[in-house]
Amino acid sequence: MSASTRTTAVRRTAALLVGAALVTLSATACDSTGGSSVSTEAKGTAAVTGSEAAKPAGAGPADGKPADTAKAPAKAGDTIALKGNDPADTADVTLVKVVDNAEGDNEFTHPADGKRFVAVQFRIKASGKKAYSDAPGNSAKLLDAEGQAFGTTIADTKAGPSFQVPANIAPGESALGFVTFEVPKDAKLDKAQFGLDSGFAPQTGQWKLG
C-alpha cells in the first residue's frame, strides 16, 4: 500500500470514529422516544394488494371486509422518509442501486480471502430544517437471509464515488454516494438498512434486496 493510500485510510478512519462518538453523545442527550422502529414504507406509495389491483375502478371489497392495507416493502429505487433524534433533523433516503462483487478502485484494495465487496449507492436529501452532517458509512447495514448484519468497511470501489466524510448537506439539498461492505462470498443478502445520526436515530429505513 502506498503512503498516500495509507494516509487516506487513516484520515477516513479517524473521521468515522469522531463522527460516531459525537453522534453517540447527541443520541444520548436528545433521544426521548424510549423506543425504535423500522420503516419499510416507500415514500409516496399507495397501499394496493394484488387482488385490489385486479378489481375494476370504484369496486369495493367483494366480501364487505376492509381492504388489506399492507404495503409492499421498499426496494432499490425507493425513497424512505427518515427521522433523527432532533425533530428538525429529517432526510429522504433513496437506495439507488447495489453493485455486488464490486472491484476495488486500485491495485491495493481487495476484499479479504473468502469475502467480497458489495457497494451500495444511496441518495440522501436533507428534508428538515437542519443540515445533514454525518458519516453515511456509520449509518448503513446489510442483512443476510439468516438475519446476520454486516457493517460497512473503509474501501473505495470502481462502482462509483464514495460519500465524503463527513457528508454535509444543506436543507433541501441532496448528495449521492456509495458505501462499501465486505461480506462472506456465500452470503445471501436480503435487506439493506439506513438510519440517521450514524444509526442511533429511533427510526431505521429498510429495503428488500433481490
Side-chain angles (χ1 to χ4, degrees):
M1 181 181 293
S2 67
S4 61
T5 302
R6 286 197 299 271
T7 300
T8 299
V10 169
R11 287 176 177 173
R12 293 189 65 189
T13 301
L16 287 169
L17 292 174
V18 171
L22 290 174
V23 171
T24 301
L25 292 174
S26 174
T28 302
C30 298
D31 185 11
S32 59
T33 60
S36 60
S37 65
V38 175
S39 175
T40 62
E41 182 178 334
K43 187 176 181 180
T45 58
V48 179
T49 64
S51 59
E52 288 295 308
K55 291 181 181 180
D63 56 4
K65 296 180 180 180
D68 184 0
T69 58
K71 294 179 174 64
K75 59 186 184 302
D78 288 336
T79 300
I80 298 178
L82 295 177
K83 300 176 182 178
N85 289 295
D86 187 329
D89 182 14
T90 62
D92 290 340
V93 179
T94 306
L95 191 158
V96 180
K97 64 180 176 180
V98 177
V99 179
D100 208 342
N101 288 303
E103 185 179 351
D105 72 338
N106 60 60
E107 60 182 307
F108 304 106
T109 304
H110 304 283
D113 290 344
K115 302 288 186 70
R116 73 184 194 268
F117 283 148
V118 178
V120 181
Q121 188 180 45
F122 289 97
R123 182 182 297 279
I124 305 169
K125 180 179 180 181
S127 60
K129 296 180 180 179
K130 287 183 61 178
Y132 174 96
S133 183
D134 201 356
N138 291 341
S139 303
K141 291 181 181 179
L142 289 180
L143 286 78
D144 66 13
E146 298 180 352
Q148 183 173 350
F150 303 96
T152 59
T153 187
I154 300 173
D156 295 322
T157 71
K158 292 182 179 179
S162 300
F163 282 104
Q164 293 295 307
V165 180
N168 295 306
I169 309 170
E173 297 184 0
S174 63
L176 181 70
F178 279 92
V179 294
T180 305
F181 300 83
E182 189 175 34
V183 305
K185 280 188 176 180
D186 60 354
K188 297 180 180 179
L189 300 178
D190 185 51
K191 301 177 182 72
Q193 293 185 339
F194 194 97
L196 302 186
D197 298 324
S198 280
F200 287 95
Q203 183 186 27
T204 299
Q206 180 172 283
W207 294 260
K208 179 74 172 177
L209 304 179

